Each structure stands twice: as structure tokens, then as C-alpha cells.
Amino acid sequence: MSNDIRNITIIAHVDHGKTTLIDNLMKQSGSFRENEVVDERLMDSGELEKERGITILAKPASINWKDTRINIIDTPGHRDFAAEVERVLSMADGALLLIDSAEGVMPQTKFVLSKALKQGLKPIVVINKLDKADQRANEVLDETFDLFVSLDANEEQLDFPVLYASGRSGWADTEENGPRENLNPLLDLILNHVKPANFEKEKPFTMLSTLLYADSFLGRSLVGRITQGTAKANQSIKAINLKGEKVDEGKLTKIFRYEGTKKVPIEIGEAGDIVVIAGLEKANVADTICDLDVNEPISATPIDPPTMSITITVNTSPLAGTEGKKLTSTQIRDRLIQEAQNNVGITFNENEGNDSFVVSGRGELMLEILLTQMRREGFELTVSPPKVLYQKDGDGNKLEPIEEITMDLDEEYSSRIIDSMNRRKGKLIELKDTGKNKKRLMQEAQNNVGITFSENEGNDSYVVSGRGELMLEILLTQMRREGFELTVSPPKVLYKTDDKGVKLEPIEEITMDLDEEYSSKVIDSMNRRKGKLIDLKDTGKNKKRLIFHAPTRGLMGYTSRFLTLTKGNGVINRIFHNYGPFEGDMEGRRNGALIAMELGKAVAFAIFNLQARGEMFVTHNDPVYPGMIVGLSPKPGDMIINVMKGKKLTNMRTQGTDENVVLTPVRKMSIAEQLSMLNTDEALEITPDSCRLRKSILDPHERKRSEKSGAAA
């Protein structure tokens, strides 16, 4: 038994990053020389694979880690190429399941994983692309566990280890917030979790042919895992099919194993290793390659039948032969024979007259790939419309292939999509709300490099960062006009720390042009905001230019205050200057909040009587609710008030006389001004029609308990 070999397959949905992960595994394990030039997507060797960025053919590779040989089998992620997956699983002892941290479990993840679990493979789950802004690793992990349960995984398979990784950045960790240094934790986990199969060297040589390659120098090359015995150069061997019938006999002329992605010749192949052999001309995929004394074939994984077919004939158009070189039915037949030998997902047969060929495959993508390859090889073809291949059950009922389709889209298009799927006999199985705010922020982060966002725990809140209040105000304004309803926290400045551990904050340079008579008030207001006067210039005609350096945290909403101080005649410009030392605590809002106590609509009579207590933000008939801030008090400390209290009706008074009261007009404030007013326990409610200040905790009792617990802490 060989204890220093591990065979593992990597399975994942399309574009979940498995090929990129393999690239970095090989680079970090020392599979290449320091000065060796290495391309990206090493395992995507075919021209079409590189163009489309998908894996079409299953391919082995190997790395050495801590004196152990790890054979890695890269598998296609698209369902149409599942035949490639099904046959290579027999070579593996374990499975590495990659799942995108944002997209989560996808249909093809489910399809391929079910095949691996049926093989009894022990899985390792890797939550990949953790560096994505919209990652939701914890949710995806829950989805993965539910998937294993739905696929009837056994207890050992359900107890799968989990790693968090970024294949592109080249790190993996056992914890979501680990050190993120390299892929060593993944390589170590493969050695510890995946146990080598128990193969006996003393028995006669047997190997299941799993992959077939045509080589111009070696001829027919067969790839498989040696299940018992050893393979030696010049050894006499034979090939038997699944029925035990001999199909070929000859000598093992060459043996290769994989070093990285390259095939390296060896003298002896041992049980458990994946090797490439040459010497047989008729042996095919699913045949057992063995010693002459062996008569029992190795059972092969059954391959799901094709679901779609096309008919191919020679090109008979007037333009035939003007662009291609391979025009005859004989050439087409030979090419299809070759494809059926190499690709077990493809079958074909000839119609009467041998002038047309019915080619069947696992889906439209597989057939498209075949046609694209043939045209690039110089073939000219005439292709019929595709046909679905039906089956019949035991009672003679007609059956057709059914697919599971998962769609992620904006809510506005869902009705059209559902209608189009209904016309195609589609049945809606599940509809999930994935969070429109999240989708919108992802879109913004993609289009606006100045915006970044991340999710808090629970994925129900998002921390959005930008280059200043105007950028954030524009984003919020755009979102409310698009129909979003949001609750926004008070803005926070992002601090830094220098090499010496000194706390730094963003400093802005402010240039003000104003009448001389207002300069003292403006200087005083800037002093309260930790602003430093850098320059004062006389620009003529009783005009002054003031230049300040001030912390960003003191300038939220200041433009409006500046215009008030200068009676609308001043001009202010701001620009980021640098990160400077933290200027210390800054005085916040001194005014207490006037808070509504009931749900309903504000009444003019109540507002009129409350105007003397402070500035009101609501007017007659405005909706209010408990915890909503309806005004500011001139004194510190919050106050709960009743803005719905009307006059009591008597014989002398009627409610209609409320209309006679005179209310002070409500000040219109921008989003930036409202954000600048917020204390740490407050928030801004933004809807398409309104912006309302509120307490973060609406219930007054819960608010008091929170304040007490905060004071105790």
C-alpha cells in the first residue's frame, strides 16, 4: 500500500474559481522554477477553454507537498460536460468542493456533488472568493450543509471540513478572518482529511481507462489510476471491456506520470497513482487495462444518456469548398469516431446511405463546442435543428429531459421572465428576495471606484464608504429616486494609523470668499470645528478670502451653515488635503431632540403650541410615529412630545378653528444637513418622497435600557 499519494478531484460551478485555485496551488507548492514563465489558467489548455474561460475537458495534474504526491483532477463545471466529471471521479479518493462566497450553491454544484457523494468521496468545502465585496460566507455555508442533507450524504460526508479562501489572491484559512497568508492550510488539510485508497502492489496490474488522448508521437494514450499491482515498461498487457471480452493486446511501451501539468516518463507506475500509458491501439475509455492473467473487468461509473441530437451532413450549398478543406462524409465520419472515443458524452450513428450522421450529446453547449472545433479544423457542414431525445418509462409514458434553471435578476424584470418561462412550460419552484439594496450597492461599487461597501453580520446592513459627504449624498439621492427606502446611520470618518501608531484623520482645505463683515462669525464657527486659519487675503471691495485646514468630521453639513452666516453671499470650496494627527474630541449637537410619542398625523394646533419649545420639522397633516424626531429643542436632552393633540371641542369652539393658527414654515434641509445633525443614537429614514430624522431605537423603554447599559459599559 502506498501512503504517500493522494488523489483529489475539484468540482465547482462554472466560474467559481477552481482553475485559478489550482494555478496558485501549483505555484506555491514549488511545481515551477523561480525563473519559469507561467501562464494563467494552466489547466485550460484548449483554445476554446482559454477563449471562453471555462473547463471543457477533465485533466490531471500533480504537486508535491511534504513528501506526499497530490494528484489533482480538474473537472468541467458545466452540466453539459458532466460525462467528463462522472468518469474521472473513479480516480479520486476525495473531493474539493469550491463554492463562490457570493453566488452560493448553484444547480451545477448540486449536480456534480451528487455524483461525488454517490462515489463515497470525502469532501472538503472551500468557500472561495472571500475577497468579494458582496461575500456572504456564513449564509453560503448554511446553504452548502442543506445541500449535503438533500443529497443524502452520510454522516462522515456531512462532517466536512471548511476552509475560507481566495484562489486569485492565493490564500486559504480555517477561519473567515484568518491571517490570509498562503494556501498551506488547504494543502495540509488534503493530507490529513483525504486518506489514500488501500491498493495491493502484489496482485496483477489493473487500471481503468478513464481518459483518452491522441498523440502524434505516442499514438493512443490512456489515462487512469492503477488499482492494483505495478505497471512496468515493456510489460505485456491487454484491454478488456465491461463484459470481460478482450479488445486489444500489446506491450506497454511508455509510462508517464504528471509533474505539475507536464507528463514525465517513468519506469514503474505503482498502485494508487494516476498514470498515462501507451502501447494499445484499440483500447477505449471504460476498458480495463491489465495483465494477461486478469479476466475480471473493473466496473465503471454509468454515464447519463444524451439529451439532445443534431443531424450533420456534408455542405451542399453553392459556396461549398470555398472556405474549408474537409468536405467529404468520410472525413466527417472519421472525425466523429474520434470524438466519440475521446468524449463519452457524445454518441453518433449513420443514417441510411451513410451520408448523414445523427450526433447526440448532453446539451446545446456540448454540441456547440463540437461544431466550433470541427469548423476550426477546416470542416464544412450542414447541421439540422437540434432535437430533444425522449424516453419512455415502464408503463410506456413519454418522458422528456427537465432542467433546473436558477436566475439572479433585478426585481423589475422578474414578471417578464416568469411570463417567458411560463410560455416555455416552466414551473416556478422558488422565488427568493436576495436584497435589492445589496444589488444596488454592488452595481454602484462596480461603476464608481470611489465607493466601497461591506456587509455586517446578518447581511441586513451595509457599511458604505466614499470620498466625502457629496459623493454619499449623491448616492443616497439617486437611490431614493430609484424607489429605494433606506435607514442611514450618522456618518463616520475613517481614521488611519501611521507607522508610529499615531491616530490620523482626514484634513480638508477650505477656501472661502465672503464680505468682510461676516469674516469674524465664519472664523469663530471654524474654530469650533477645529479649523486652523492658514491664510487671510484682502481681495478688494471689502471682500476677504479665508483658507482653513479643518478635520472632515467637523464639516458635515457646514456649507448650509456657511451660507446662513454670510446671508447667501459667500462662496465656499473644499478639497482633501491630507491625513493629519487626530485633533481631539469635537463638540456635537447641543440641542436635544423633540420626539413624537404616537402614530398618526401631526395637528396644527399642537405644532403651534410646541413652536415655542424649539424648531419643528413637521407641519400640519405630516405623518409621525413613535421615536420619530419632529423637532429640535434649544436645550440639551431629548423630550417626548405629542404633536397630535388637538383642541377640545366645546359649544363655543369648533375644531375647524385650528386652521386659523399661524405656523412657522418648516426649514428644508438637504440629506447632508440632516446627516450632520444626527447623534450616535439616531438615524435618517430616506424614502422616495420624504426624509425623516428618527431614533435608532424607536421604543422609548428599549431606548432607556440601551442608554443605561451603555452608561454601565
Side-chain angles (χ1 to χ4, degrees), residues 507-697:
I507 304 295
E508 295 188 28
E509 181 174 296
I510 307 99
T511 301
M512 305 173 180
D513 292 307
L514 67 161
D515 294 337
E516 186 176 4
E517 59 182 298
Y518 308 123
S519 58
S520 60
K521 295 180 181 178
V522 169
I523 292 172
D524 181 63
S525 71
M526 289 297 296
N527 287 336
R528 290 199 295 271
R529 290 168 170 79
K530 305 291 184 178
K532 298 177 181 178
L533 182 62
I534 305 301
D535 197 8
L536 190 153
K537 295 180 181 178
D538 188 352
T539 55
K541 298 183 179 179
N542 294 323
K543 296 281 188 180
K544 296 288 186 182
R545 172 167 291 179
L546 309 179
I547 300 176
F548 290 88
H549 286 172
T552 297
R553 58 192 166 104
L555 299 175
M556 282 294 297
Y558 182 71
T559 299
S560 176
R561 176 60 178 163
F562 173 79
L563 292 174
T564 301
L565 291 173
T566 61
K567 297 184 178 180
N569 294 318
V571 178
I572 183 171
N573 290 285
R574 295 164 49 183
I575 190 171
F576 175 79
H577 180 61
N578 66 354
Y579 267 87
F582 181 68
E583 295 289 345
D585 294 333
M586 195 175 297
E587 185 181 9
R589 194 187 78 208
R590 290 177 287 183
N591 307 74
L594 301 177
I595 306 167
M597 62 186 303
E598 295 180 7
L599 175 66
K601 291 187 177 180
V603 177
F605 180 78
I607 297 171
F608 178 75
N609 289 321
L610 292 168
Q611 286 179 159
R613 297 191 180 185
E615 181 185 7
M616 302 299 295
F617 296 156
V618 296
T619 190
H620 180 65
N621 221 31
D622 282 348
V624 296
Y625 54 81
M628 176 178 165
I629 299 174
V630 295
L632 286 181
S633 169
K635 301 178 182 178
D638 296 341
M639 185 184 304
I640 298 176
I641 61 175
N642 187 0
V643 291
M644 298 171 54
K645 184 177 181 182
K647 284 192 299 187
K648 294 183 179 180
L649 304 182
T650 66
N651 291 333
M652 301 296 294
R653 293 178 176 176
T654 64
Q655 197 172 18
T657 57
D658 282 355
E659 299 175 0
N660 296 328
V661 299
V662 179
L663 301 180
T664 303
V666 175
R667 174 161 58 106
K668 292 184 178 181
M669 293 183 288
S670 66
I671 290 177
E673 288 180 85
Q674 290 173 300
L675 288 174
S676 69
M677 297 176 63
L678 295 175
N679 283 331
T680 54
D681 63 337
E682 297 169 353
L684 175 63
E685 174 195 352
I686 298 177
T687 74
D689 298 324
S690 306
C691 291
R692 306 180 183 95
L693 299 172
R694 51 161 285 180
K695 287 293 182 179
S696 298
I697 303 173

Side-chain angles (χ1 to χ4, degrees), residues 26-44:
M26 288 196 287
K27 292 173 183 176
Q28 292 189 24
S29 63
S31 299
F32 307 103
R33 302 186 309 273
E34 279 188 27
N35 60 348
E36 188 173 353
V37 179
V38 181
D39 295 332
E40 291 188 359
R41 303 186 65 86
L42 293 165
M43 300 296 284
D44 287 348

